Amino acid sequence: MATNGSQEAFGVEEVLQAMLTMRGGDSEKKKRAHEYLEGFQKSTTAWSATITILQSNAEADVKLFAATTLRGKITYDLSTQVPAPDIPAVRTQLLALLKRYAPGPKPVRVQLCVCLAILAIQMQEWKDVLPVVVSSLGDENHACILDFLRVLPEEVTEGRKITLTDEELTARTTELLEHNAPQVVQLLINYAHSSAAAATNPQLFECITSWLREVPVNEIVRSPLLNIVFSALESDTSFQAAAECISTMVRETREIDDNVETIQVLLPRVIALQPKIQKVVEEEDVESYKSLTKLFSEAGSAWAVAIARESSTFRPLVDAILECTARDKDRDVIEFTFDFWYDLKQYLVLEKYIESRMQLLDVYAKLVDILLKHLEYPESESNNEKDLFDGDREAEEKFREFRHLMGDTLKDCCEIMGVAECLTKVLNAIEIWMQKYASLVNGASVPHWQQLEAPLFSMRAMGRMVTSEENTVLPQLMPLLVQMPAHEKLSFATIMVLGRYTEWTAAHPDFLSPQFNYIVSSFDTDSKEIVRAAAMAIKYFCTDCRNLLSEQVVQLQQFYDQILDKLPQISQEEITEGVATVVSVQPKGEIYKLLKLFCDPLVQRLINKASNATDNDGKLLVADHLQLITLFAQGVVVLPPVERGQEDPAVKYWQEVFPVLSQVLVNFLDFAPICERVCRCWRFMVISHRGAMAPILPEMANQLASGFSTSKQGCFLWVTGAILREFSDDREHVGEDMTDHIYVFFETQATSVLRILSELSPQDLPDVTEDFFRLVVDGLLYYPQKFIPSSIFVPVFEAALSVLVLEQREPLSATLHYLRDVLGWGNEYSPQNFDHHLSASVTEQLRSVVKQLLSAQGETLAKRLLAGMMITFPKDCFADASGALLTLFEIFPDQTATWVDGTLRLLPERTVTPVEIDRLMLKVREKLNTNDTGDVRQIRSILQDFTNTYRRRYIAPRDGLGALEGSRFRFDG
């Protein structure tokens, strides 16, 4: 593979051999062949080699590779590898190749059309693109001309900017699209009239669809093309392409008031297509059914506001969409209608459209009935209740996904019809089933249970729309729910419904006991799915009905203790979160006693599990169990906080438990999951109990310092950051002595990390690197007056520079955030507005320290940021990197411009030309010289465009970066 511009031997025979190797089974050889071909695609040799291959009798896949490679060359390398006088020759070769491949194969022909379109965009002196292409290909090569016409607007409007400026691209778009649009329309009309086959050629309609983005839709509608497109719906060959073309026309009329005349022409023609629904369904033509449904739904969504204004005029269109939904027995097309029902609902709920809403109530009522039927599970053809989809997992997953989408549409219906009306349909469906089949139930054998489960699911889906004040239908429904037959699907659905309506139950306490008992009894089943649902429901009951359950808190603990070990981990956490919520609302005087009641058994379980943890599985059980203790530490908080000097009952309990957690940590310092869970527990203690945690802090700090020093795990830094935040200078409950001690602790932790980063590279400790820079972000945010003048400030900045050579997103992101915060202190306005506790003179002193640092390290920072943006940074880091560069420009405009210029001239030869660098720096300096903040900010997008372009072109970003390589961080502290 080419390295920094050097060229490997890329002969045609070698390329063909590499292609042959790619078909083989030897993975190592295929990997080398892949690397070789990647290098070939970026080499200068590829220009002649691809054309040689395309002129040969090579196999189709080899020719397609050559055409694809040529597209990449024209896209990325035209300006750097082809002298300007030779570019017309490239055009001549392309036109000749296109003529050669006009008959096919189509994939190669399309790639060559894309090549020519990209060349046309960049070749700004080529003014007569359309006439030259048409005359060169000749009248007999219609397929090739249509392909070129189709891809041209796509490449112009969606293609990447390569070497053109915004102004050049805008001008070129006008020349290629706007000026050519009338000729293209006439070309398409002439072609359509040339023969019957032409009038039904899918390529014709794909071409019209592509140009509809550029040609005003009314011009197409007023032209003979409209009749041609609608007539094409009578042909199986062109049906789908024509339907997509009409859908695009409709989308282009979304601005209703600007397209009234066009809509008046299109509406009757679209409505006239309704009889085709029955036809395609009876013929089982699924693809045409999909195309037709998409067409109607696109029209409905585009004209939703018009439907709301004139519902009677547009009613046939709404009925057509409803028919598409109703006839969809296999749920092939219903998903295409969901957006329409939502879009229309958004208008109909407005007061100004109340009349239309009343006129369309019956449509939404029918839609609810249709959805209830679609929600039913299928009847198993093999009578296997355990496998309703007869082994078709894809169909099962699709059904589950559709159910939730249909649930969203049911919510839309609720907003139109009202919740009571929708719930009444659910009640009626359940009562009808009860009348028909309840007497036939025999244990778990429930006839036609699908007809009962569907309304239960729909009730769950509507839950968000139902308020606690609903007193009409739910009081009739709730007693029926707890009488559901003991069928797994029905029990699961019932539990999910009860868990969804806990806010309503909290407002109607008479219904709590039977519901809660139903959930509790569900834990006796063997069904894992039901047990998981029941645990989730318990969480919601405890959360929303916590005050109602206060009298049963002791019984709740007994149930919790009995059931806990029988549950999977996720359910243990859900039920623990719920019972902790009930404990949290008990009187302050009861908190300590209740924490002991609930948590002492958990702590004893922890001790037992830790004693028996001799292998990884046992240790993971310890880590999982720690999460339950964390949920109590996080959830049971004394509010309002106790007065300063008083003992917090929750913290009193955690003070007793702390030695146990510390011992577990010490015993398992070599096992990251346990360390992370203990630290997570402590972090939430600090965040939740805040100032009340002061009695525990000294010992916690000791454990964090020794734990990090021994294990080098970043989790210890999480807790340090939480302590920094909760005990910072601006907290009312924190004394000066406390903040001084905490800052010293922070600096000790930071020094330990710096020593580690000096011994090991950031690549070896990406997680610690990320956690460290998140910590120093907090240090800078909450203790700037101590951190910035400190002896570790410069080493931390230098460590950050060394991290910028990484390619992992998380540590880079944390480091870039830190650098941006540091840069913010060098700007005119200090970040986060610390004026409320820092004097102007202190702020200015801190700014001076930062600017002095940036003056010394700014060139290295600019080099690292640019190298990252061009070569190594993941895409997610570009915004922060360019933001940091912009701030550097704002602080030191001239120096930064010099640093950027110097960095760009270090780039490997043949990857960027001096002319391109000069043009870039001219733009940058123009923006700097305007003294306009908005113009200076445009430097960010200018640099992003340049680095994005360079990144796509760069020959070998992973084979050594030469003069741009980062240096190793060293710390002597």
Side-chain angles (χ1 to χ4, degrees):
M1 191 172 176
T3 305
N4 292 348
S6 66
Q7 294 296 310
E8 205 172 321
F10 293 114
V12 172
E13 290 302 319
E14 289 83 359
V15 171
L16 295 176
Q17 184 58 48
M19 289 289 293
L20 192 61
T21 303
M22 291 296 292
R23 300 175 188 167
D26 189 321
S27 58
E28 191 58 39
K29 287 183 178 178
K30 286 174 70 173
K31 180 182 177 184
R32 289 198 297 271
H34 186 272
E35 291 174 352
Y36 176 86
L37 291 172
E38 276 191 335
F40 163 71
Q41 288 183 311
K42 296 171 182 175
S43 70
T44 54
T45 313
W47 290 99
S48 57
T50 52
I51 291 172
T52 300
I53 293 171
L54 287 166
Q55 290 172 339
S56 72
N57 295 320
E59 295 181 39
D61 63 330
V62 177
K63 290 180 177 179
L64 181 60
F65 170 76
T68 305
T69 298
L70 188 57
R71 183 190 70 185
K73 301 303 293 178
I74 295 170
T75 305
Y76 305 128
D77 301 329
L78 188 70
S79 63
T80 55
Q81 294 182 357
V82 180
D86 294 345
I87 292 178
V90 176
R91 176 181 62 188
T92 302
Q93 287 176 317
L94 268 180
L95 287 168
L97 286 170
L98 254 183
K99 192 162 187 176
R100 177 188 180 109
Y101 285 93
K106 183 177 179 180
V108 177
R109 184 180 72 213
V110 170
Q111 286 298 321
L112 291 173
C113 285
V114 173
C115 288
L116 191 59
I118 296 170
L119 181 66
I121 297 167
Q122 297 188 70
M123 201 172 169
Q124 297 174 71
E125 67 277 9
W126 186 11
K127 303 299 183 183
D128 54 349
V129 172
L130 199 57
V132 168
V133 172
V134 173
S135 62
S136 297
L137 294 175
D139 293 339
E140 70 278 8
N141 293 318
H142 290 126
C144 193
I145 294 172
L146 288 172
D147 277 338
F148 177 75
L149 290 177
R150 176 177 62 81
V151 303
L152 181 61
E154 293 171 1
E155 293 304 319
V156 172
T157 57
E158 298 173 16
R160 297 183 178 104
K161 281 192 297 185
I162 305 302
T163 58
L164 302 187
T165 64
D166 290 344
E167 297 78 11
E168 290 170 338
L169 188 63
T170 300
R172 200 63 181 139
T173 300
T174 301
E175 291 171 356
L176 291 174
L177 301 184
E178 192 177 319
H179 293 171
N180 279 324
Q183 296 96 298
V184 170
V185 172
Q186 192 56 52
L187 264 174
L188 296 177
I189 292 171
N190 294 344
Y191 172 71
H193 287 155
S194 66
S195 69
T200 56
N201 182 355
Q203 279 187 285
L204 169 66
F205 307 110
E206 291 167 1
C207 198
I208 297 171
T209 299
S210 183
W211 278 85
L212 271 166
R213 302 184 186 98
E214 314 307 325
V215 179
V217 66
N218 64 312
E219 291 185 16
I220 299 291
V221 170
R222 292 202 310 263
S223 77
L225 288 175
L226 185 67
N227 284 333
I228 293 166
V229 175
F230 273 91
S231 297
L233 293 172
E234 303 304 321
S235 167
D236 292 341
T237 304
S238 53
F239 187 96
Q240 291 169 39
E244 174 58 30
C245 187
I246 297 168
S247 296
T248 305
M249 288 185 202
V250 164
R251 278 196 295 273
E252 294 297 319
T253 63
R254 277 185 176 273
E255 297 298 327
I256 300 296
D257 295 327
D258 297 335
N259 293 283
V260 173
E261 293 180 3
T262 304
I263 294 171
Q264 287 173 345
V265 173
L266 287 173
L267 178 62
R269 304 200 69 158
V270 171
I271 292 172
L273 300 175
Q274 183 171 2
K276 290 187 179 293
I277 301 172
Q278 182 177 349
K279 179 176 179 289
V280 296
V281 170
E282 290 175 350
E283 294 175 354
E284 297 184 357
D285 185 351
V286 176
E287 293 307 315
S288 294
Y289 189 14
K290 287 180 179 179
S291 296
L292 204 54
T293 305
K294 287 179 184 177
L295 194 164
F296 285 128
S297 300
E298 286 281 4
S301 290
W303 300 336
V305 65
I307 298 172
R309 291 175 184 172
E310 302 175 40
S311 57
S312 57
T313 303
F314 286 84
R315 174 65 183 254
L317 175 60
V318 179
D319 288 338
I321 300 170
L322 188 68
E323 184 180 348
C324 288
T325 306
R327 290 185 180 274
D328 187 21
K329 303 303 180 188
D330 297 321
R331 306 179 191 87
D332 291 317
V333 306
I334 189 172
E335 63 178 314
F336 304 126
T337 70
F338 293 148
D339 286 344
F340 161 70
W341 298 117
Y342 172 80
D343 291 339
L344 182 58
K345 179 267 298 185
Q346 290 290 81
Y347 289 106
L348 293 180
V349 295
L350 301 177
E351 192 63 35
K352 64 193 290 189
Y353 298 126
I354 184 67
E355 185 178 340
S356 291
R357 184 161 113 198
M358 300 310 295
Q359 292 176 3
L360 294 172
L361 270 179
D362 66 308
V363 173
Y364 277 89
K366 292 173 185 174
L367 179 60
V368 173
D369 295 332
I370 293 168
L371 292 174
L372 282 174
K373 189 63 182 172
H374 280 314
L375 284 170
E376 290 181 13
Y377 273 97
E379 300 274 354
S380 174
E381 295 179 6
S382 60
N383 294 320
N384 181 3
E385 289 282 311
K386 298 292 184 182
D387 189 2
L388 298 170
F389 295 86
D390 299 317
D392 189 342
R393 292 290 165 258
E394 185 178 344
E396 183 175 3
E397 186 58 36
K398 180 182 176 183
F399 176 70
R400 290 179 186 276
E401 182 181 332
F402 275 5
R403 290 188 111 204
H404 290 288
L405 292 173
M406 287 188 274
D408 290 338
T409 303
L410 278 170
K411 296 184 186 78
D412 297 333
C413 296
C414 285
E415 291 194 64
I416 298 297
M417 298 169 58
V419 170
E421 286 72 13
C422 288
L423 285 175
T424 298
K425 285 184 175 290
V426 172
L427 177 61
N428 292 341
I430 293 175
E431 289 178 338
I432 289 171
W433 186 93
M434 293 282 191
Q435 293 166 9
K436 285 184 177 180
Y437 305 116
S439 60
L440 303 177
V441 173
N442 182 13
S445 176
V446 183
H448 303 290
W449 60 267
Q450 291 91 338
Q451 297 175 26
L452 185 55
E453 193 275 346
L456 290 175
F457 181 90
S458 70
M459 184 178 175
R460 170 187 162 196
M462 297 175 197
R464 185 169 61 85
M465 311 304 299
V466 182
T467 66
S468 300
E469 289 74 39
E470 208 294 310
N471 293 315
T472 307
V473 187
L474 284 180
Q476 302 175 65
L477 267 170
M478 289 301 181
L480 297 177
L481 297 184
V482 296
Q483 300 174 40
M484 284 293 140
H487 182 281
E488 183 176 8
K489 294 286 188 192
L490 295 176
S491 298
F492 176 81
T494 301
I495 292 167
M496 296 301 284
V497 170
L498 294 177
R500 189 67 187 80
Y501 283 79
T502 48
E503 290 183 20
W504 183 88
T505 303
H508 300 78
D510 293 347
F511 293 90
L512 174 60
S513 182
Q515 291 182 26
F516 196 76
N517 291 338
Y518 181 90
I519 301 295
V520 169
S521 66
S522 300
F523 285 97
D524 295 332
T525 181
D526 293 330
S527 168
K528 294 179 180 178
E529 195 172 39
I530 288 178
V531 168
R532 284 196 295 267
M536 187 185 300
I538 288 286
K539 180 179 80 169
Y540 292 133
F541 270 99
C542 289
T543 300
D544 294 326
C545 305
R546 53 189 179 275
N547 293 308
L548 298 177
L549 291 170
S550 292
E551 294 179 5
Q552 288 84 36
V553 67
V554 175
Q555 295 93 315
L556 186 62
Q557 190 278 330
Q558 294 169 352
F559 163 71
Y560 172 69
D561 195 49
Q562 291 168 6
I563 199 70
L564 187 66
D565 294 330
K566 302 175 185 178
L567 301 177
Q569 178 63 26
I570 184 68
S571 298
Q572 288 185 13
E573 292 178 16
E574 286 174 339
I575 201 169
T576 299
E577 186 179 343
V579 297
T581 305
V582 176
V583 173
S584 71
V585 298
Q586 304 312 305
K588 189 181 300 185
E590 298 292 312
I591 293 292
Y592 173 78
K593 182 176 69 175
L594 287 173
L595 277 174
K596 283 190 70 65
L597 179 66
F598 277 86
C599 294
D600 276 358
L602 291 180
V603 173
Q604 189 57 52
R605 281 183 174 91
L606 175 67
I607 294 170
N608 295 339
K609 288 176 186 290
S611 300
N612 297 322
T614 55
D615 56 15
N616 273 5
D617 289 343
K619 294 175 183 177
L620 287 172
L621 289 176
V622 174
D624 288 340
H625 193 73
L626 281 162
Q627 176 63 10
L628 307 185
I629 295 173
T630 300
L631 288 169
F632 273 100
Q634 182 182 2
V636 183
V637 180
V638 175
L639 293 174
V642 297
E643 295 294 325
R644 191 169 182 176
Q646 292 185 356
E647 186 176 50
D648 184 301
V651 174
K652 176 185 176 183
Y653 178 74
W654 297 120
Q655 207 168 353
E656 294 175 5
V657 172
F658 191 82
V660 176
L661 297 177
S662 298
Q663 192 58 51
V664 169
L665 179 68
V666 169
N667 291 345
F668 295 97
L669 272 176
D670 59 345
F671 192 70
I674 289 179
C675 293
E676 288 175 0
R677 287 300 173 86
V678 171
C679 287
R680 188 172 188 274
C681 182
W682 290 352
R683 178 171 173 269
F684 277 115
M685 283 184 187
V686 172
I687 293 171
S688 301
H689 302 285
R690 306 182 73 180
M693 282 291 292
I696 302 179
L697 280 188
E699 183 55 31
M700 184 180 287
N702 290 337
Q703 292 292 339
L704 293 172
S706 62
F708 178 75
S709 177
T710 303
S711 71
K712 299 181 176 60
Q713 291 182 38
C715 56
F716 295 94
L717 305 180
W718 304 345
V719 195
T720 305
I723 294 171
L724 275 183
R725 288 190 293 275
E726 297 304 329
F727 292 87
S728 60
D729 280 346
D730 63 337
R731 300 287 191 194
E732 295 178 1
H733 57 265
V734 182
E736 187 175 342
D737 288 347
M738 173 74 80
T739 61
D740 287 343
H741 284 117
I742 286 170
Y743 176 75
V744 170
F745 169 53
F746 157 72
E747 198 166 296
T748 301
Q749 290 286 74
T751 303
S752 296
V753 179
L754 290 172
R755 291 194 183 112
I756 291 170
L757 290 178
S758 182
E759 296 166 4
L760 301 169
S761 71
Q763 288 92 333
D764 298 325
L765 293 168
D767 293 342
V768 171
T769 301
E770 176 192 355
D771 296 327
F772 173 61
F773 282 101
R774 295 200 187 287
L775 171 63
V776 291
V777 162
D778 287 333
L780 188 62
L781 180 62
Y782 295 107
Y783 289 87
Q785 77 283 14
K786 292 183 173 74
F787 182 29
I788 291 176
S790 74
S791 60
I792 66 168
F793 184 61
V794 171
V796 170
F797 189 88
E798 291 172 345
L801 294 179
S802 75
V803 172
L804 296 182
V805 300
L806 291 183
E807 297 175 22
Q808 296 106 311
R809 181 176 63 84
E810 290 80 6
L812 272 175
S813 180
T815 305
L816 287 167
H817 288 172
Y818 170 71
L819 288 170
R820 292 193 71 177
D821 287 354
V822 171
L823 287 162
W825 276 97
N827 222 334
E828 184 177 351
Y829 301 102
S830 59
Q832 303 296 327
N833 190 13
F834 277 95
D835 297 342
H836 62 288
H837 74 278
L838 290 182
S839 67
S841 61
V842 170
T843 300
E844 189 54 43
Q845 288 172 6
L846 298 179
R847 183 176 296 116
S848 176
V849 172
V850 171
K851 291 181 76 170
Q852 185 177 352
L853 170 65
L854 293 176
S855 179
Q857 302 279 0
E859 183 174 6
T860 304
L861 175 60
K863 187 185 293 185
R864 292 279 72 75
L865 291 171
L866 276 171
M869 289 173 67
M870 288 186 288
I871 301 167
T872 57
F873 286 174
K875 189 175 181 180
D876 291 350
C877 296
F878 285 16
D880 282 319
S882 62
L885 264 178
L886 173 64
T887 308
L888 200 56
F889 268 108
E890 291 171 341
I891 300 170
F892 298 125
D894 294 331
Q895 296 96 314
T896 304
T898 302
W899 295 334
V900 169
D901 188 301
T903 299
L904 295 179
R905 297 187 193 279
L906 293 174
L907 292 168
E909 291 181 18
R910 289 200 292 269
T911 62
V912 64
T913 65
V915 173
E916 287 179 296
I917 296 175
D918 292 340
R919 185 163 65 171
L920 172 72
M921 295 313 301
L922 180 62
K923 284 190 206 173
V924 169
R925 290 192 168 93
E926 282 176 356
K927 299 300 180 186
L928 288 175
N929 292 334
T930 60
N931 294 319
D932 184 297
T933 303
D935 277 357
V936 172
R937 291 191 174 276
Q938 287 179 23
I939 292 174
R940 183 177 187 175
S941 61
I942 291 170
L943 288 173
Q944 280 182 325
D945 287 344
F946 177 83
T947 54
N948 286 340
T949 300
Y950 183 85
R951 195 180 185 95
R952 290 193 294 268
R953 281 197 207 146
Y954 189 53
I955 294 174
R958 303 295 181 263
D959 292 347
L961 310 182
L964 289 174
E965 270 192 76
S967 58
R968 180 73 184 273
F969 168 70
R970 298 294 179 192
F971 176 63
D972 298 324

